[in-house]
Amino acid sequence: MAHLINALPGLVWSADASGDMTFLSQPYLDYIGQSADAALAGGWLDAVHPEDVDGLLRARATALTQGLATEHEARLRRADGSYRWMLFLANPCHDAAGDLTGSAGVIIDVENRKGVRDALRSSEVALRESERQLQQIIDSIPGLTWRADAQGSITYWSQSFIDYADATLEDIIGYGFLDYIHPEDRDLVMKTWVSILQSGKPGESETRLRRADGQYRWFLWRVSPFFDSAGKLTQWFGINVDIENRKRAEEGLRQSQNELAHVTRMTTMGELAASIAHEVNQPLMAVVTNAGTCLRWLNAAEPNLDMARQAVERIVRDGHRAGDIITSLRKLVRKSAPQLDRLCLDQVVPVVLDLLQSELRRREVVAKAQFDDTVTIRGDSTQLQQVILNLIMNAVEAMAGTDAGSRRLTVRAQARGGEAIVSVTDTGPGLGTGDPDRLFDAFFSTKPEGLGMGLSICRSIIEAHGGRIWAANNGARGSVFSFALPLAEGNGTDVANR
Ligand SMILES: Nc1ncnc2c1ncn2[C@@H]1O[C@H](COP(=O)(O)OP(=O)(O)O)[C@@H](O)[C@H]1O
Ligand SMILES: [Mg+2]
């Protein structure tokens, strides 16, 4: 029996009902390096690590008083003085009558496993810590972060958004977030979201989101797909950044640009006042002349009604012409927020040429217009007319120093490569060799009285239309200023209706 006990891969012991040790196996004695007497007299407890003694005694007391099997881990000193982690297993012992007579147990060396467990435990701690840090980062990102499943249904919003909207996660997940989006933006958000989901690519848009106090603020939201290791799109991660203040600043900038454009338009009109007055005066003088002619035909001894009618028809035509000029002038000097309309360039450009007819004649410039009549764009006609007006006036001014007989101006509008291209070509001195882009800088002018705002305004108008503007030398002679705008959807389809 002793042979068997000594052969067990553990240290065996037994104690009486009061907890005093009654037996320690030889391997136990060898391990702690004590004699049986010393160990039984209490030396066994000395071998337990001081920090673990209380816990171990408590566990043993439980086993004894409640008659329960217990397990406890404690460090036990080896004969060489080093401690190893041990698992103390104890069972209560009963006599034939069922009375508790004591306890017996076995102690198993778990030092090596303990190392593995501790590593596991500390990696769990590290994981929790990095989770906590990640959460901290997510919560302190200056934006509202969120997550959606592959189908686009929201599965997570960061605390910062829940705080922003004073909502609960349940309010928002799925498609509940739509309630927090400005009603005017909802359709666009859904349309954009669906097209991003279908594309499987990152996307972005701008949307107003309701804050807890009911105020809507502009947010830029961006979202990227997340792919698992097999390359399958499993989730979407998004971030919303508050751009309200930037948006306001942009709006303010747009307004002041708009006002500046208006002021320079007025200035140009002021400079052209004499020419424009002459332009209006011409049809009016013709009206007076034709009215005289008409009267003469009517007052004749034999009134010639046919000739009188023809004179009246000319009066009507010239009256309309004067009216048209005044209408387009009024449009150019009006001050209003830009408005996007479907425009055909062969209707936009001639208005400007009409207004400038007298000026061009006075300055001995021969103007020519060439239109590809299918060029339809979306834009604000007043603003685009201002661009064309600025380009034409620059061309006219550039040609002032050249021979009167050779001042030629061409305005051309054509559809090319999916874009509408408008160009103004002159036979002036050209741009020289410097970077032509500098001409578009505000306050750049080579003219004694020049403001240097014309081209800068042209550029901001064209860029606001999603286009670009540039200048180049026109071969050996003169320069060409061009701008490109996106063609309107279905460009050319409205030709048939005109
Ligand atoms: N058609 C052109 N030919 C040569 N130079 C030009 C032409 N158009 C513009 N420039 C140059 O670009 C400068 C800036 O033009 P702009 O911004 O309209 O200001 P401004 O007309 O008040 O000088 C002009 O001063 C001139 O030097
Ligand atoms: Mg100018």
Side-chain angles (χ1 to χ4, degrees):
M1 190 64 171
H3 189 68
L4 178 67
I5 286 173
N6 290 343
L8 283 177
L11 318 178
V12 179
W13 57 269
S14 67
D16 61 20
S18 62
D20 290 334
M21 279 292 191
T22 53
F23 170 78
L24 288 89
S25 67
Q26 192 54 48
Y28 196 162
L29 296 172
D30 293 346
Y31 178 92
I32 58 179
Q34 295 181 20
S35 67
D37 288 345
L40 289 174
W44 72 273
L45 200 55
D46 293 340
V48 175
H49 194 288
E51 285 172 18
D52 301 339
V53 168
D54 283 353
L56 182 66
L57 290 180
R58 256 202 313 280
R60 277 170 60 103
T62 310
L64 280 174
T65 53
Q66 299 179 8
L68 290 175
T70 59
E71 273 186 40
H72 190 78
E73 276 178 6
R75 278 159 291 183
L76 193 63
R77 193 177 58 233
R78 207 158 53 177
D80 64 7
S82 65
Y83 284 97
R84 292 181 66 83
W85 278 99
M86 298 287 191
L87 179 63
F88 289 70
L89 298 167
N91 269 349
C93 302
H94 303 275
D95 61 15
D99 290 329
L100 190 73
T101 55
S103 57
V106 64
I107 299 170
I108 299 164
D109 188 327
V110 291
E111 176 68 28
N112 297 336
R113 280 171 223 221
K114 176 90 184 156
V116 172
R117 244 198 337 264
D118 279 354
L120 204 64
R121 204 168 289 152
S122 67
S123 74
E124 268 170 16
V125 169
L127 195 66
R128 266 200 301 277
E129 172 60 17
S130 77
E131 259 176 17
R132 196 185 61 80
Q133 280 182 7
L134 204 61
Q135 190 61 45
Q136 220 169 35
I137 291 171
I138 288 173
D139 288 342
S140 50
I141 283 175
L144 317 173
T145 49
W146 50 275
R147 187 182 64 203
D149 64 18
Q151 286 72 43
S153 172
I154 301 300
T155 52
Y156 169 84
W157 282 90
S158 66
Q159 188 60 36
S160 47
F161 185 72
I162 291 174
D163 293 345
Y164 171 85
D166 191 22
T168 66
L169 196 56
E170 292 74 58
D171 292 339
I172 291 165
I173 50 175
Y175 282 87
F177 68 92
L178 278 172
D179 277 349
Y180 297 85
I181 288 172
H182 195 290
E184 286 172 16
D185 299 345
R186 274 175 210 163
D187 279 355
L188 181 67
V189 166
M190 278 314 290
K191 256 217 297 267
T192 314
W193 190 209
V194 166
S195 83
I196 291 173
L197 287 171
Q198 281 168 352
S199 75
K201 294 206 180 81
E204 62 174 61
S205 186
E206 290 178 4
T207 301
R208 282 163 289 180
L209 291 177
R210 190 174 66 237
R211 199 165 60 179
D213 62 6
Q215 194 206 325
Y216 284 95
R217 293 178 68 82
W218 278 102
F219 279 81
L220 167 70
W221 56 274
R222 284 211 171 106
V223 60
S224 292
F226 178 84
F227 299 94
D228 66 11
S229 51
K232 187 165 166 268
L233 196 164
T234 53
Q235 297 189 76
W236 292 86
F237 287 98
I239 181 161
N240 303 355
V241 179
D242 190 325
I243 53 165
E244 178 70 23
N245 297 342
R246 208 176 73 195
K247 204 82 181 165
R248 288 221 186 120
E250 270 173 17
E251 186 53 39
L253 186 67
R254 243 199 312 276
Q255 250 171 36
S256 31
Q257 268 174 349
N258 213 18
E259 270 155 31
L260 184 63
H262 178 240
V263 169
T264 51
R265 216 151 61 215
M266 298 293 284
T267 315
T268 316
M269 288 301 148
E271 283 162 7
L272 292 173
S275 294
I276 291 167
H278 184 238
E279 202 58 44
V280 183
N281 203 35
Q282 254 184 347
L284 289 182
M285 291 316 291
V287 165
V288 172
T289 311
N290 278 312
T293 312
C294 179
L295 279 177
R296 266 201 313 284
W297 290 118
L298 291 175
N299 289 341
E302 238 172 277
N304 187 336
L305 291 184
D306 218 29
M307 294 304 275
R309 190 178 299 113
Q310 282 179 27
V312 172
E313 276 166 7
R314 285 196 297 275
I315 291 175
V316 170
R317 187 199 62 202
D318 289 334
H320 277 310
R321 163 139 185 83
D324 285 350
I325 293 172
I326 289 171
T327 307
S328 44
L329 190 62
R330 250 218 316 265
K331 277 195 193 147
L332 268 175
V333 297
R334 91 190 150 154
K335 187 181 150 199
S336 57
Q339 185 190 333
L340 284 189
D341 292 315
R342 208 179 160 83
L343 301 172
C344 201
L345 287 175
D346 69 334
Q347 290 168 334
V348 177
V349 181
V351 174
V352 185
L353 285 171
D354 268 3
L355 269 179
L356 292 176
Q357 234 175 53
S358 297
E359 184 71 7
L360 293 171
R361 220 175 306 130
R362 189 170 74 75
R363 300 219 190 200
E364 298 176 75
V365 173
V366 179
K368 191 170 72 175
Q370 280 183 5
F371 301 116
D372 189 341
D373 65 357
T374 59
V375 190
T376 322
I377 48 116
R378 280 180 63 75
D380 180 277
S381 60
T382 307
Q383 288 195 339
L384 294 177
Q385 280 161 6
Q386 178 173 9
V387 172
I388 294 159
L389 177 77
N390 287 351
L391 296 182
I392 293 177
M393 285 313 294
N394 276 348
V396 168
E397 285 160 9
M399 290 189 288
T402 60
D403 284 348
S406 63
R407 296 176 194 155
R408 284 192 307 279
L409 173 93
T410 310
V411 185
R412 181 175 299 156
Q414 57 195 137
R416 213 198 302 144
E419 284 181 317
I421 314 267
V422 178
S423 60
V424 175
T425 312
D426 64 55
T427 53
L431 306 176
T433 49
D435 178 8
D437 268 356
R438 78 192 187 287
L439 310 183
F440 295 91
D441 290 344
F443 307 118
F444 179 91
S445 177
T446 53
K447 300 167 195 167
E449 308 280 296
L451 266 181
M453 287 309 296
L455 289 177
S456 145
I457 287 170
C458 289
R459 186 169 59 181
S460 60
I461 290 176
I462 293 302
E463 285 178 354
H465 279 76
R468 60 211 153 76
I469 186 166
W470 67 97
N473 283 308
N474 184 29
R477 180 117 194 255
S479 59
V480 49
F481 281 75
S482 317
F483 62 84
L485 296 173
L487 284 173
E489 254 173 61
N491 169 63
T493 51
D494 26 16
V495 177
N497 307 332
R498 283 193 293 128

